[in-house]
Protein backbone atom coordinates (compact mmCIF):
# COMPACT_ATOMS: atom_id res chain seq x y z
CA UNK A 1 0.00 0.00 0.00
CA UNK A 2 1.31 3.38 -0.91
CA UNK A 3 0.71 6.05 1.67
CA UNK A 4 0.93 9.64 0.67
CA UNK A 5 1.44 11.64 3.79
CA UNK A 6 1.99 15.34 3.37
CA UNK A 7 4.40 16.98 5.77
CA UNK A 8 2.90 19.56 8.06
CA UNK A 9 4.35 22.36 10.15
CA UNK A 10 2.15 21.36 13.13
CA UNK A 11 -1.35 20.28 14.22
CA UNK A 12 -3.00 23.50 13.02
CA UNK A 13 -1.50 22.91 9.61
CA UNK A 14 -3.07 19.42 9.58
CA UNK A 15 -6.48 20.81 10.55
CA UNK A 16 -6.35 23.51 7.86
CA UNK A 17 -5.42 20.85 5.33
CA UNK A 18 -8.36 18.63 6.38
CA UNK A 19 -10.76 21.60 6.26
CA UNK A 20 -9.61 22.49 2.77
CA UNK A 21 -9.61 18.90 1.51
CA UNK A 22 -13.16 18.26 2.72
CA UNK A 23 -14.35 21.76 1.86
CA UNK A 24 -15.59 22.30 5.39
CA UNK A 25 -16.77 25.73 6.44
CA UNK A 26 -14.13 26.99 8.86
CA UNK A 27 -16.85 28.74 10.91
CA UNK A 28 -18.94 25.57 11.18
CA UNK A 29 -16.50 22.69 11.36
CA UNK A 30 -18.14 19.26 11.68
CA UNK A 31 -16.17 18.37 14.77
CA UNK A 32 -16.69 14.57 14.84
CA UNK A 33 -15.64 14.17 11.23
CA UNK A 34 -12.56 16.31 11.54
CA UNK A 35 -11.61 14.60 14.82
CA UNK A 36 -11.88 11.22 13.14
CA UNK A 37 -9.77 12.27 10.18
CA UNK A 38 -7.23 13.89 12.45
CA UNK A 39 -6.87 10.70 14.48
CA UNK A 40 -6.51 8.72 11.25
CA UNK A 41 -3.70 11.01 10.27
CA UNK A 42 -1.92 10.37 13.58
CA UNK A 43 -2.44 6.64 13.02
CA UNK A 44 -0.84 6.89 9.60
CA UNK A 45 2.10 8.74 11.11
CA UNK A 46 2.51 6.01 13.69
CA UNK A 47 2.37 3.26 11.07
CA UNK A 48 5.15 5.03 9.18
CA UNK A 49 7.15 5.08 12.39
CA UNK A 50 7.17 8.85 12.36
CA UNK A 51 7.76 10.53 15.67
CA UNK A 52 4.59 12.21 16.85
CA UNK A 53 5.36 15.43 18.66
CA UNK A 54 3.44 16.21 21.86
CA UNK A 55 1.56 19.12 20.30
CA UNK A 56 -0.18 16.65 17.95
CA UNK A 57 -1.44 14.62 20.92
CA UNK A 58 -2.48 17.77 22.78
CA UNK A 59 -4.55 18.79 19.76
CA UNK A 60 -6.20 15.34 19.61
CA UNK A 61 -7.24 15.73 23.24
CA UNK A 62 -8.54 19.22 22.55
CA UNK A 63 -10.62 17.99 19.62
CA UNK A 64 -12.14 15.19 21.67
CA UNK A 65 -12.89 17.67 24.44
CA UNK A 66 -14.71 19.94 22.01
CA UNK A 67 -16.61 16.97 20.65
CA UNK A 68 -17.86 16.03 24.12
CA UNK A 69 -18.83 19.63 24.87
CA UNK A 70 -20.74 19.81 21.61
CA UNK A 71 -22.73 16.73 22.58
CA UNK A 72 -23.52 18.14 26.03
CA UNK A 73 -24.55 21.40 24.46
CA UNK A 74 -26.98 19.66 22.11
CA UNK A 75 -28.68 17.99 25.05
CA UNK A 76 -29.21 21.13 27.07
CA UNK A 77 -31.56 23.81 25.82
CA UNK A 78 -29.50 26.66 27.18
CA UNK A 79 -27.82 29.04 24.80
CA UNK A 80 -24.14 28.70 25.50
CA UNK A 81 -20.92 29.66 23.81
CA UNK A 82 -19.87 27.51 20.86
CA UNK A 83 -17.13 25.16 22.17
CA UNK A 84 -15.40 25.45 18.77
CA UNK A 85 -14.99 29.20 19.02
CA UNK A 86 -11.47 29.30 20.41
CA UNK A 87 -10.18 26.73 17.96
CA UNK A 88 -11.80 28.55 15.04
CA UNK A 89 -10.21 31.86 15.94
CA UNK A 90 -6.82 30.17 16.44
CA UNK A 91 -7.16 28.55 13.02
CA UNK A 92 -8.15 31.79 11.31
CA UNK A 93 -5.23 33.69 12.83
CA UNK A 94 -2.83 30.89 12.01
CA UNK A 95 -4.08 30.82 8.43
CA UNK A 96 -3.62 34.61 8.28
CA UNK A 97 -0.03 34.38 9.55
CA UNK A 98 0.74 31.76 6.96
CA UNK A 99 -0.53 34.19 4.36
CA UNK A 100 1.65 36.92 5.87
CA UNK A 101 4.65 34.57 5.52
CA UNK A 102 3.78 34.04 1.84
CA UNK A 103 3.33 37.77 1.39
CA UNK A 104 6.73 38.52 2.94
CA UNK A 105 8.37 35.94 0.68
CA UNK A 106 6.96 37.68 -2.41
CA UNK A 107 8.60 40.97 -1.41
CA UNK A 108 11.78 42.12 -3.10
CA UNK A 109 14.01 40.52 -0.51
CA UNK A 110 17.45 41.95 0.21
CA UNK A 111 20.26 39.59 -0.78
CA UNK A 112 17.81 37.35 -2.64
CA UNK A 113 16.23 39.64 -5.23
CA UNK A 114 17.86 42.99 -4.66
CA UNK A 115 21.39 43.79 -3.54
CA UNK A 116 23.38 46.59 -1.98
CA UNK A 117 26.79 47.89 -2.86
CA UNK A 118 29.09 46.21 -0.33
CA UNK A 119 30.96 48.70 1.76
CA UNK A 120 33.96 49.41 -0.45
CA UNK A 121 35.30 51.78 2.18
CA UNK A 122 35.66 49.02 4.76
CA UNK A 123 37.66 46.76 2.43
CA UNK A 124 40.18 49.47 1.60
CA UNK A 125 40.79 50.24 5.26
CA UNK A 126 41.39 46.63 6.18
CA UNK A 127 44.01 46.22 3.52
CA UNK A 128 45.95 49.25 4.68
CA UNK A 129 46.20 48.12 8.26
CA UNK A 130 48.17 44.97 7.43
CA UNK A 131 51.75 45.34 8.56
CA UNK A 132 54.56 43.16 7.44
CA UNK A 133 56.42 41.21 10.09
CA UNK A 134 60.12 40.55 10.35
CA UNK A 135 61.79 37.17 10.97
CA UNK A 136 62.34 38.18 14.61
CA UNK A 137 58.57 38.45 15.11
CA UNK A 138 58.38 34.90 13.85
CA UNK A 139 60.85 33.81 16.47
CA UNK A 140 58.67 35.23 19.22
CA UNK A 141 55.73 33.39 17.73
CA UNK A 142 57.68 30.16 17.70
CA UNK A 143 58.56 30.56 21.36
CA UNK A 144 54.90 31.04 22.08
CA UNK A 145 53.88 27.90 20.24
CA UNK A 146 56.62 25.88 21.90
CA UNK A 147 55.31 26.97 25.27
CA UNK A 148 51.80 25.89 24.36
CA UNK A 149 52.90 22.55 22.99
CA UNK A 150 52.21 19.75 25.43
CA UNK A 151 55.28 18.15 26.81
CA UNK A 152 55.06 14.38 26.70
CA UNK A 153 55.44 12.79 30.12
CA UNK A 154 57.66 9.99 28.94
CA UNK A 155 60.59 11.20 26.93
CA UNK A 156 61.36 9.10 23.93
CA UNK A 157 64.33 9.53 21.75
CA UNK A 158 63.02 9.62 18.25
CA UNK A 159 65.02 9.88 15.14
CA UNK A 160 62.77 11.47 12.64
CA UNK A 161 63.53 12.69 9.17
CA UNK A 162 62.10 16.13 8.87
CA UNK A 163 62.40 17.86 5.56
CA UNK A 164 62.17 21.61 5.13
CA UNK A 165 61.46 21.12 1.44
CA UNK A 166 58.47 19.00 2.29
CA UNK A 167 57.15 21.81 4.50
CA UNK A 168 57.72 24.35 1.74
CA UNK A 169 55.72 22.23 -0.67
CA UNK A 170 53.03 21.80 1.96
CA UNK A 171 52.74 25.55 2.50
CA UNK A 172 52.65 26.21 -1.25
CA UNK A 173 49.87 23.65 -1.57
CA UNK A 174 47.89 25.13 1.30
CA UNK A 175 48.05 28.73 0.13
CA UNK A 176 46.42 30.44 -2.80
CA UNK A 177 48.02 33.28 -4.71
CA UNK A 178 46.98 36.72 -3.50
CA UNK A 179 45.20 35.21 -0.48
CA UNK A 180 46.04 35.07 3.20
CA UNK A 181 45.84 32.08 5.54
CA UNK A 182 46.18 32.15 9.34
CA UNK A 183 49.52 30.88 10.60
CA UNK A 184 47.78 28.65 13.14
CA UNK A 185 45.96 26.86 10.37
CA UNK A 186 49.27 26.01 8.70
CA UNK A 187 50.89 24.50 11.76
CA UNK A 188 47.73 22.80 13.00
CA UNK A 189 48.47 19.35 14.31
CA UNK A 190 52.22 19.82 14.41
CA UNK A 191 53.33 17.42 17.08
CA UNK A 192 57.03 17.84 17.58
CA UNK A 193 59.52 20.62 17.97
CA UNK A 194 61.42 19.33 14.97
CA UNK A 195 58.40 19.75 12.73
CA UNK A 196 57.75 23.22 14.03
CA UNK A 197 61.33 24.26 13.40
CA UNK A 198 61.07 22.87 9.89
CA UNK A 199 57.94 24.94 9.40
CA UNK A 200 59.60 28.12 10.57
CA UNK A 201 62.61 27.43 8.34
CA UNK A 202 60.26 26.82 5.43
CA UNK A 203 58.47 30.10 6.08
CA UNK A 204 61.77 31.97 6.28
CA UNK A 205 62.87 30.35 3.04
CA UNK A 206 59.60 31.30 1.33
CA UNK A 207 59.93 34.85 2.60
CA UNK A 208 63.42 34.99 1.08
CA UNK A 209 62.08 33.68 -2.21
CA UNK A 210 59.37 36.36 -1.99
CA UNK A 211 56.69 33.76 -2.41
CA UNK A 212 55.03 34.73 0.85
CA UNK A 213 54.77 37.65 3.23
CA UNK A 214 53.99 37.38 6.90
CA UNK A 215 51.49 40.00 7.95
CA UNK A 216 49.54 41.08 10.98
CA UNK A 217 46.49 43.34 11.21
CA UNK A 218 47.27 44.93 14.55
CA UNK A 219 49.80 44.40 17.34
CA UNK A 220 49.21 40.98 18.96
CA UNK A 221 46.65 40.24 16.25
CA UNK A 222 46.44 37.07 14.27
CA UNK A 223 49.46 36.34 12.17
CA UNK A 224 48.60 35.66 8.58
CA UNK A 225 50.60 34.18 5.76
CA UNK A 226 50.06 36.08 2.55
CA UNK A 227 50.93 34.32 -0.68
CA UNK A 228 52.29 36.75 -3.22
CA UNK A 229 51.62 36.73 -6.94
CA UNK A 230 55.01 35.22 -7.68
CA UNK A 231 54.75 31.78 -9.26
CA UNK A 232 56.27 28.85 -7.46
CA UNK A 233 58.73 26.70 -9.40
CA UNK A 234 60.39 23.47 -8.32
CA UNK A 235 63.75 24.88 -9.40
CA UNK A 236 63.64 27.41 -6.61
CA UNK A 237 64.15 24.61 -4.12
CA UNK A 238 67.33 23.23 -5.64
CA UNK A 239 69.75 24.87 -3.27
CA UNK A 240 67.62 24.16 -0.23
CA UNK A 241 67.27 20.48 -1.06
CA UNK A 242 70.99 19.87 -0.61
CA UNK A 243 71.21 21.99 2.50
CA UNK A 244 68.25 20.23 3.97
CA UNK A 245 69.73 16.84 3.37
CA UNK A 246 72.97 17.82 4.91
CA UNK A 247 71.11 19.16 7.91
CA UNK A 248 69.30 15.91 8.39
CA UNK A 249 72.44 13.89 8.13
CA UNK A 250 74.02 16.00 10.78
CA UNK A 251 71.03 15.42 12.99
CA UNK A 252 71.25 11.73 12.50
CA UNK B 1 22.44 76.93 -2.51
CA UNK B 2 21.40 76.02 -5.99
CA UNK B 3 18.88 73.24 -6.31
CA UNK B 4 21.17 71.25 -8.60
CA UNK B 5 23.93 71.38 -6.03
CA UNK B 6 21.61 70.16 -3.27
CA UNK B 7 20.58 67.35 -5.56
CA UNK B 8 24.17 66.29 -6.12
CA UNK B 9 24.87 66.38 -2.38
CA UNK B 10 21.81 64.27 -1.58
CA UNK B 11 22.75 61.73 -4.24
CA UNK B 12 26.30 61.57 -2.91
CA UNK B 13 25.17 61.14 0.69
CA UNK B 14 23.04 58.15 -0.22
CA UNK B 15 25.88 56.70 -2.26
CA UNK B 16 28.40 56.71 0.59
CA UNK B 17 26.05 55.39 3.28
CA UNK B 18 25.89 51.79 4.38
CA UNK B 19 22.44 52.23 5.86
CA UNK B 20 19.30 53.90 4.55
CA UNK B 21 19.70 57.67 4.95
CA UNK B 22 16.80 59.38 6.70
CA UNK B 23 15.47 62.90 6.13
CA UNK B 24 17.00 64.11 9.41
CA UNK B 25 20.50 63.27 8.17
CA UNK B 26 19.96 65.27 4.96
CA UNK B 27 18.68 68.20 7.00
CA UNK B 28 21.64 68.02 9.37
CA UNK B 29 24.22 67.95 6.58
CA UNK B 30 22.58 70.56 4.39
CA UNK B 31 21.85 72.98 7.21
CA UNK B 32 19.01 75.37 7.90
CA UNK B 33 19.05 77.08 4.54
CA UNK B 34 17.51 74.03 2.88
CA UNK B 35 13.97 73.13 3.89
CA UNK B 36 12.46 69.69 4.16
CA UNK B 37 10.06 70.14 1.27
CA UNK B 38 12.97 70.83 -1.11
CA UNK B 39 14.74 67.69 0.15
CA UNK B 40 11.61 65.60 -0.29
CA UNK B 41 11.03 66.99 -3.77
CA UNK B 42 14.57 66.14 -4.79
CA UNK B 43 14.30 62.62 -3.35
CA UNK B 44 11.17 62.07 -5.43
CA UNK B 45 13.01 63.33 -8.50
CA UNK B 46 15.93 60.99 -7.86
CA UNK B 47 13.57 58.05 -7.29
CA UNK B 48 11.93 58.77 -10.64
CA UNK B 49 15.24 59.19 -12.41
CA UNK B 50 16.73 55.92 -11.21
CA UNK B 51 13.52 54.00 -11.88
CA UNK B 52 14.17 54.50 -15.59
CA UNK B 53 15.27 51.45 -17.56
CA UNK B 54 18.65 53.08 -18.15
CA UNK B 55 19.85 52.21 -14.66
CA UNK B 56 20.79 48.92 -12.99
CA UNK B 57 19.91 50.19 -9.55
CA UNK B 58 17.18 52.33 -8.11
CA UNK B 59 16.48 54.58 -5.14
CA UNK B 60 14.25 52.80 -2.62
CA UNK B 61 12.49 54.14 0.44
CA UNK B 62 13.14 51.57 3.14
CA UNK B 63 13.41 51.32 6.95
CA UNK B 64 12.78 55.03 7.37
CA UNK B 65 15.37 56.16 4.84
CA UNK B 66 16.62 56.10 1.29
CA UNK B 67 18.94 53.50 -0.19
CA UNK B 68 20.28 52.47 -3.60
CA UNK B 69 19.46 48.87 -4.47
CA UNK B 70 19.89 46.84 -7.60
CA UNK B 71 16.76 46.21 -9.61
CA UNK B 72 14.97 42.94 -9.21
CA UNK B 73 15.42 41.94 -12.86
CA UNK B 74 19.17 41.93 -12.28
CA UNK B 75 18.93 39.34 -9.52
CA UNK B 76 19.68 36.31 -11.66
CA UNK B 77 22.85 38.00 -12.96
CA UNK B 78 24.08 39.24 -9.60
CA UNK B 79 23.55 35.84 -7.99
CA UNK B 80 26.16 34.50 -10.42
CA UNK B 81 28.76 36.25 -8.28
CA UNK B 82 29.79 33.92 -5.48
CA UNK B 83 29.56 36.48 -2.72
CA UNK B 84 25.90 37.15 -3.44
CA UNK B 85 24.44 33.79 -2.60
CA UNK B 86 20.76 34.17 -1.70
CA UNK B 87 19.57 33.77 1.86
CA UNK B 88 17.01 31.06 2.48
CA UNK B 89 14.12 31.20 4.89
CA UNK B 90 12.58 28.12 6.45
CA UNK B 91 8.82 27.76 6.64
CA UNK B 92 8.78 27.79 10.43
CA UNK B 93 11.10 30.81 10.69
CA UNK B 94 8.79 32.72 8.34
CA UNK B 95 5.72 31.79 10.39
CA UNK B 96 7.35 32.96 13.60
CA UNK B 97 8.59 36.15 11.95
CA UNK B 98 5.08 36.91 10.65
CA UNK B 99 3.57 36.49 14.11
CA UNK B 100 6.21 38.75 15.69
CA UNK B 101 5.74 41.38 12.97
CA UNK B 102 2.06 41.73 13.85
CA UNK B 103 1.95 40.85 17.54
CA UNK B 104 5.11 42.51 18.88
CA UNK B 105 6.17 42.65 21.61
CA UNK B 106 5.31 38.98 22.00
CA UNK B 107 6.63 36.13 24.16
CA UNK B 108 7.74 32.73 22.98
CA UNK B 109 4.78 31.07 24.77
CA UNK B 110 2.35 33.35 22.96
CA UNK B 111 3.98 32.59 19.62
CA UNK B 112 3.84 28.86 20.28
CA UNK B 113 0.17 29.03 21.30
CA UNK B 114 -0.63 30.78 18.02
CA UNK B 115 1.14 28.00 16.12
CA UNK B 116 -0.70 25.18 17.86
CA UNK B 117 1.99 24.46 20.41
CA UNK B 118 4.94 23.93 18.06
CA UNK B 119 8.29 24.43 19.77
CA UNK B 120 9.58 27.65 18.25
CA UNK B 121 12.92 28.05 20.01
CA UNK B 122 14.93 27.00 16.94
CA UNK B 123 13.13 29.46 14.68
CA UNK B 124 13.60 32.24 17.24
CA UNK B 125 17.32 31.50 17.47
CA UNK B 126 17.68 31.61 13.69
CA UNK B 127 15.83 34.92 13.49
CA UNK B 128 17.91 36.38 16.33
CA UNK B 129 21.21 35.39 14.69
CA UNK B 130 20.05 36.88 11.42
CA UNK B 131 19.13 40.03 13.38
CA UNK B 132 15.61 40.08 11.97
CA UNK B 133 14.23 40.11 15.52
CA UNK B 134 15.53 41.23 18.89
CA UNK B 135 14.69 40.71 22.54
CA UNK B 136 12.81 43.90 23.27
CA UNK B 137 11.97 43.44 26.95
CA UNK B 138 10.18 41.23 29.43
CA UNK B 139 6.55 40.55 30.06
CA UNK B 140 6.24 41.50 33.72
CA UNK B 141 2.71 40.23 34.33
CA UNK B 142 3.46 36.71 33.06
CA UNK B 143 4.97 34.00 35.27
CA UNK B 144 8.75 33.95 35.07
CA UNK B 145 8.79 37.38 33.37
CA UNK B 146 9.55 35.90 29.94
CA UNK B 147 11.40 37.81 27.21
CA UNK B 148 9.41 39.57 24.56
CA UNK B 149 10.48 39.70 20.94
CA UNK B 150 10.14 42.45 18.36
CA UNK B 151 11.25 42.96 14.78
CA UNK B 152 14.34 45.04 13.99
CA UNK B 153 15.23 47.75 11.52
CA UNK B 154 17.00 45.04 9.56
CA UNK B 155 13.68 43.24 9.18
CA UNK B 156 12.32 46.33 7.42
CA UNK B 157 15.43 46.53 5.27
CA UNK B 158 15.38 42.86 4.26
CA UNK B 159 11.70 42.86 3.31
CA UNK B 160 11.78 46.30 1.75
CA UNK B 161 9.33 47.98 4.13
CA UNK B 162 9.30 51.70 4.93
CA UNK B 163 8.11 51.06 8.47
CA UNK B 164 5.83 48.63 10.30
CA UNK B 165 2.72 50.45 9.13
CA UNK B 166 3.81 49.55 5.61
CA UNK B 167 2.59 46.01 6.38
CA UNK B 168 -1.01 45.46 5.26
CA UNK B 169 -3.49 45.18 8.17
CA UNK B 170 -3.83 41.58 9.39
CA UNK B 171 -7.57 41.65 8.56
CA UNK B 172 -6.62 41.72 4.90
CA UNK B 173 -5.07 38.29 5.22
CA UNK B 174 -8.15 36.97 7.00
CA UNK B 175 -10.55 38.43 4.45
CA UNK B 176 -8.72 36.65 1.70
CA UNK B 177 -9.66 33.31 3.21
CA UNK B 178 -13.34 34.21 3.39
CA UNK B 179 -13.28 35.35 -0.21
CA UNK B 180 -11.69 32.08 -1.23
CA UNK B 181 -14.48 30.11 0.39
CA UNK B 182 -17.28 32.00 -1.30
Amino acid sequence: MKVNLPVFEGPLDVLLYLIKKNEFDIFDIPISRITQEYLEYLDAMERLNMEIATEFIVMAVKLLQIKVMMLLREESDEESEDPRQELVSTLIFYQAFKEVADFLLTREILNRDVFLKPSAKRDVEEEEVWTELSPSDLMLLMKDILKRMKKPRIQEVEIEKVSVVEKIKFIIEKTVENKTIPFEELVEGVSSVMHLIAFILAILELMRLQLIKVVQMRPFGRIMIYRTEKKFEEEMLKGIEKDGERGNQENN
Amino acid sequence: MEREEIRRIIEGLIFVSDEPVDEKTFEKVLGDSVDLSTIRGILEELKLEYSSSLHGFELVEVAGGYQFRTKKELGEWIRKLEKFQPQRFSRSAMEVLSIIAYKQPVTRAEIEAMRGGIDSSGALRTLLTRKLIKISGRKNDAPGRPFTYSTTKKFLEVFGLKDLSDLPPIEEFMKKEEEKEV
Side-chain angles (χ1 to χ4, degrees):
Chain A
M1 191 182 74
K2 198 185 155 197
V3 190
N4 254 330
L5 211 57
V7 180
F8 296 105
E9 213 34 77
L12 295 177
D13 224 9
V14 179
L15 291 177
L16 285 175
Y17 166 77
L18 295 175
I19 289 166
K20 210 172 158 192
K21 194 189 82 180
N22 295 301
E23 292 180 350
F24 291 152
D25 176 3
I26 198 163
F27 293 100
D28 188 20
I29 306 166
I31 209 80
S32 359
R33 276 192 62 195
I34 206 164
T35 305
Q36 194 193 331
E37 290 210 22
Y38 182 83
L39 293 173
E40 277 168 13
Y41 171 77
L42 292 195
D43 264 354
M45 273 175 88
E46 216 164 21
R47 262 183 278 126
L48 290 173
N49 287 324
M50 282 165 77
E51 204 185 316
I52 300 174
T54 359
E55 62 262 21
F56 284 92
I57 314 286
V58 173
M59 183 55 74
V61 174
K62 212 177 261 175
L63 286 170
L64 289 166
Q65 212 174 11
I66 296 170
K67 193 175 153 184
V68 172
M69 282 166 81
M70 291 287 283
L71 288 169
L72 289 172
R73 187 165 167 254
E74 266 171 43
E75 278 175 17
S76 73
D77 304 321
E78 277 173 68
E79 269 293 309
S80 61
E81 200 186 281
D82 192 330
R84 297 171 296 185
Q85 207 177 32
E86 200 195 315
L87 180 66
V88 170
S89 93
T90 309
L91 280 171
I92 286 174
F93 268 106
Y94 181 66
Q95 172 75 43
F97 286 123
K98 277 178 59 149
E99 301 250 356
V100 172
D102 289 338
F103 161 77
L104 287 176
L105 285 172
T106 60
R107 305 277 309 169
E108 292 190 355
I109 295 179
L110 194 62
N111 292 334
R112 187 191 72 178
D113 309 308
V114 293
F115 299 87
L116 299 176
K117 147 189 75 82
S119 184
K121 188 188 85 197
R122 245 182 260 145
D123 292 345
V124 172
E125 271 175 10
E126 262 172 36
E127 225 153 48
E128 280 175 355
V129 185
W130 292 109
T131 46
E132 235 178 288
L133 296 181
S134 67
S136 59
D137 289 308
L138 264 183
M139 234 176 64
L140 286 174
L141 181 69
M142 191 176 120
K143 266 190 184 165
D144 203 41
I145 293 178
L146 282 173
K147 234 188 277 169
R148 269 185 281 164
M149 223 186 263
K150 269 190 214 158
K151 284 189 190 123
R153 255 194 246 152
I154 306 159
Q155 285 284 344
E156 258 183 55
V157 183
E158 266 184 64
I159 299 167
E160 233 184 328
K161 270 210 171 178
V162 183
S163 151
V164 176
V165 173
E166 216 180 273
K167 298 291 185 226
I168 290 177
K169 284 183 181 160
F170 177 79
I171 295 169
I172 291 292
E173 248 178 61
K174 273 270 204 172
T175 52
V176 185
E177 273 157 42
N178 263 329
K179 287 260 165 71
T180 54
I181 173 174
F183 178 80
E184 290 103 307
E185 209 174 302
L186 266 184
V187 296
E188 209 176 50
V190 169
S191 51
S192 77
V193 183
M194 278 303 288
H195 281 279
L196 184 64
I197 291 169
F199 253 115
I200 302 288
L201 288 175
I203 287 169
L204 289 171
E205 210 50 66
L206 285 165
M207 280 168 89
R208 191 182 60 86
L209 292 167
Q210 290 173 338
L211 284 163
I212 61 164
K213 277 180 180 170
V214 181
V215 292
Q216 194 176 33
M217 260 250 273
R218 58 187 104 60
F220 310 111
R222 255 175 130 189
I223 289 176
M224 307 285 284
I225 306 293
Y226 171 76
R227 174 76 190 279
T228 60
E229 287 161 358
K230 201 172 164 185
K231 283 263 172 302
F232 170 73
E233 278 154 44
E234 287 276 343
E235 284 181 354
M236 292 174 171
L237 301 177
K238 265 188 181 162
I240 310 159
E241 195 95 50
K242 274 186 207 149
D243 293 347
E245 271 167 17
R246 190 162 19 112
N248 276 337
Q249 275 158 12
E250 274 167 20
N251 283 339
N252 293 345
Chain B
M1 226 187 297
E2 255 181 81
R3 194 182 157 88
E4 282 208 347
E5 195 184 351
I6 302 170
R7 210 180 113 117
R8 280 199 300 272
I9 296 167
I10 288 179
E11 197 181 26
L13 287 175
I14 303 168
F15 179 79
V16 297
S17 298
D18 285 337
E19 284 181 37
V21 190
D22 57 12
E23 287 172 349
K24 264 191 207 145
T25 308
F26 294 124
E27 277 186 302
K28 210 167 80 189
V29 174
L30 290 164
D32 294 335
S33 59
V34 184
D35 60 13
L36 192 58
S37 64
T38 312
I39 295 171
R40 283 187 181 153
I42 287 170
L43 286 165
E44 281 312 306
E45 266 173 47
L46 287 170
K47 257 162 88 174
L48 195 70
E49 188 185 318
Y50 282 100
S51 68
S52 108
S53 58
L54 291 171
H55 296 283
F57 53 85
E58 60 193 339
L59 187 56
V60 184
E61 218 181 322
V62 74
Y66 292 81
Q67 191 172 50
F68 282 123
R69 297 183 161 197
T70 59
K71 289 186 176 162
K72 199 187 175 189
E73 315 88 81
L74 264 69
E76 59 171 306
W77 302 99
I78 290 165
R79 283 191 294 271
K80 288 189 181 185
L81 297 175
E82 246 172 72
K83 62 174 171 180
F84 290 116
Q85 284 314 298
Q87 294 205 347
R88 303 214 173 278
F89 296 93
S90 75
R91 189 74 229 171
S92 56
M94 284 310 294
E95 272 184 32
V96 172
L97 186 60
S98 303
I99 291 171
I100 297 172
Y102 280 89
K103 294 283 176 183
Q104 57 188 304
V106 61
T107 67
R108 182 178 138 191
E110 288 163 340
I111 294 165
E112 288 177 349
M114 276 182 260
R115 298 181 71 210
I118 309 172
D119 175 38
S120 304
S121 51
L124 282 172
R125 212 175 312 125
T126 310
L127 294 169
L128 281 169
T129 12
R130 288 167 92 165
K131 297 196 166 69
L132 293 169
I133 60 164
K134 62 180 177 211
I135 293 171
S136 52
R138 282 174 182 275
K139 192 173 179 172
N140 286 322
D141 53 357
R145 295 176 62 235
F147 286 130
T148 56
Y149 299 93
S150 299
T151 54
T152 56
K153 196 176 157 195
K154 194 182 171 200
F155 162 74
L156 299 173
E157 271 193 78
V158 168
F159 292 96
L161 299 159
K162 285 184 208 173
D163 49 50
L164 283 175
S165 66
D166 208 12
L167 284 169
I170 190 72
E171 289 77 22
E172 246 168 64
F173 296 102
M174 301 204 254
K175 244 185 258 159
K176 251 189 190 167
E177 192 47 34
E178 281 170 50
E179 279 160 18
K180 262 189 239 159
E181 289 201 18
V182 174

